[in-house]
Amino acid sequence: MSGNNYNDDGWEPVTRLGRKVQEGDIDTMEAALNSGLPLKEPEIVDQLLPGLDDEVLDINMVQRMTDSGRRVKFRCVVAVGNRDGFVGYAEGRDDQVGSAIQKAIGIAKLNIIQVPRGSGSWEDRSDRPHSLTRRTTGKAGSVEVELIPAPEGLGLAASDTVRAVIELAGIENAWTKSHGNTRTTVNLAKATFNALENASQSRHPQRRPNREEPEVAE
């Protein structure tokens, strides 16, 4: 499904980064991420990464008792990406499934990162950026995911959840290992995104101060 549900017609930026994008001073997502300015408007991503794909990884009903009775919300886990080096991840909660998905998509856009791609496997001689540049790991709750560069032609040796996230980042060939309670989709997806983020931070060590932390289910 397409995640570009934000109507940018008549968009009036409220942040410095948004104004720079609208005025054409920043015209790529890489430049926006490297600007040091906080990314707080999903419309910025819509402008710089048109045609962004999204994938709903999990939908779960969450119940909570309040003074007025039982309250039910839906938690949706979503990843977004352009399948060419940019990927984001988030969770959203709302009384309606559709609204929870849209909330998650909007937050995932604000969490977008650039993943360094290459041909990091010693078995590979390709000059095309089809895999990771190096081995990387990520953790969420009890789950740990390791992503390993693989030679061209291998494909993705990964579970469905891990595959969905790294495909959105544009990774075509990789070995993966996972440990812990991998049946918990939210932690498996978050650990995979964290692994990609760790790879990204090796290239861009400074963390954006506005980053919204996706929730982690223990």
Side-chain angles (χ1 to χ4, degrees):
M1 62 187 285
S2 172
N4 284 334
N5 292 320
Y6 288 89
N7 183 3
D8 56 14
D9 292 336
W11 169 48
E12 290 294 335
V14 296
T15 64
R16 185 180 172 192
L17 178 59
R19 288 190 291 271
K20 282 181 172 290
V21 169
Q22 190 177 67
E23 293 167 2
D25 295 334
I26 292 178
D27 58 3
T28 67
M29 197 69 234
E30 182 177 10
L33 294 177
N34 291 338
S35 69
L37 298 173
L39 177 58
K40 293 185 175 180
E41 298 177 85
E43 293 88 352
I44 293 173
V45 181
D46 292 339
Q47 292 273 346
L48 300 179
L49 294 177
L52 200 69
D53 291 335
D54 64 69
E55 186 82 24
V56 178
L57 305 174
D58 188 54
I59 299 176
N60 194 23
M61 188 170 63
V62 180
Q63 299 186 42
R64 188 178 57 152
M65 289 300 299
T66 65
D67 293 339
S68 57
R70 189 183 305 273
R71 192 167 181 191
V72 176
K73 285 197 171 186
F74 294 94
R75 182 189 65 194
C76 296
V77 180
V78 171
V80 301
N82 70 339
R83 303 184 189 274
D84 192 24
F86 290 94
V87 67
Y89 165 89
E91 300 170 41
R93 298 190 186 202
D94 201 272
D95 297 337
Q96 303 295 324
V97 173
S99 298
I101 292 173
Q102 291 309 310
K103 279 186 178 180
I105 290 173
I107 298 171
K109 289 177 181 179
L110 301 182
N111 289 339
I112 207 144
I113 59 173
Q114 183 176 16
V115 178
R117 296 177 301 154
S119 53
S121 172
W122 63 271
E123 302 175 78
D124 196 17
R125 296 184 179 179
S126 174
D127 294 327
R128 195 172 66 85
H130 63 88
S131 186
L132 298 154
T133 57
R134 65 177 184 88
R135 184 185 299 241
T136 181
T137 60
K139 193 173 183 351
S142 67
V143 179
E144 185 173 1
V145 172
E146 183 176 12
L147 307 178
I148 306 166
E152 192 163 20
L154 176 79
L156 297 175
S159 67
D160 291 342
T161 299
V162 175
R163 177 192 296 269
V165 176
I166 60 180
E167 276 185 342
L168 285 170
I171 304 299
E172 302 171 28
N173 301 281
W175 283 293
T176 67
K177 296 179 182 179
S178 57
H179 310 280
N181 186 13
T182 57
R183 290 177 297 178
T184 306
T185 302
V186 57
N187 282 349
L188 184 59
K190 175 68 168 22
T192 304
F193 179 73
N194 282 346
L196 295 174
E197 186 177 37
N198 289 336
S200 173
Q201 288 176 344
S202 69
R203 179 179 173 183
H204 306 292
Q206 291 191 345
R207 185 184 179 92
R208 298 201 306 276
N210 76 300
R211 178 169 181 76
E212 298 195 27
E213 292 288 350
E215 302 171 14
V216 178
E218 294 297 331

